[in-house]
Amino acid sequence: MAFEKLSNSLNELNQNLQAFAHTNSEYYKLKFFKQAMSGATSLVRFLILGAITVIAFFLLSFAVAIAISEAIGQPSAGYFIVAGFYILLFILILVFGKRPIEKLMLQKFSRIFFND
């Protein structure tokens, strides 16, 4: 009788542990899916906004180059000045931008990944 009761208790414990493991596994799958989708939607939004911003700056750069060219009186001078500005900006970001960009990305994606 006592052996049967112990055997039933062990079987019940085994079933409960299996159910717990299955539930726990499903929870972590769902949590990973939620975090992955949050990161993916942020990435897509960032890419779309980035593309729109690049197009806007491209058109704005042409407008500024034309305005500078007309003000100076030489057709190509405005384009060289705008190109020089972008080269200078590129060099500044290349030299001084690594740390701030890494910090910004780490903060943004850690907020997405670790917040429930």
Side-chain angles (χ1 to χ4, degrees):
M1 186 75 144
F3 182 73
E4 219 175 277
K5 198 173 189 182
L6 180 63
S7 177
N8 287 339
S9 293
L10 287 176
N11 283 337
E12 192 175 313
L13 176 64
N14 185 28
Q15 290 173 354
N16 287 341
L17 285 175
Q18 286 177 351
F20 173 75
H22 178 70
T23 304
N24 209 16
S25 168
E26 293 298 316
Y27 169 75
Y28 283 112
K29 276 196 242 180
L30 186 61
K31 185 175 182 178
F32 174 76
F33 178 76
K34 176 186 172 193
Q35 291 170 345
M37 285 295 98
S38 179
T41 54
S42 292
L43 179 64
V44 168
R45 191 182 75 204
F46 175 76
L47 290 174
I48 290 170
L49 291 175
I52 292 169
T53 303
V54 166
I55 292 168
F57 276 123
F58 185 72
L59 295 173
L60 185 63
S61 295
F62 269 116
V64 169
I66 291 170
I68 291 172
S69 293
E70 288 178 0
I72 293 177
Q74 293 185 351
S76 61
Y79 294 100
F80 287 119
I81 291 171
V82 170
F85 169 75
Y86 282 123
I87 290 171
L88 179 64
L89 186 64
F90 173 79
I91 291 170
L92 289 174
I93 290 173
L94 186 67
V95 173
F96 300 110
K98 184 178 180 184
R99 267 223 149 111
I101 291 171
E102 283 179 353
K103 184 179 177 182
L104 178 70
M105 295 296 290
L106 185 61
Q107 288 174 349
K108 173 79 173 162
F109 285 107
S110 64
R111 235 181 273 127
I112 289 170
F113 191 76
F114 292 112
N115 285 347
D116 288 330

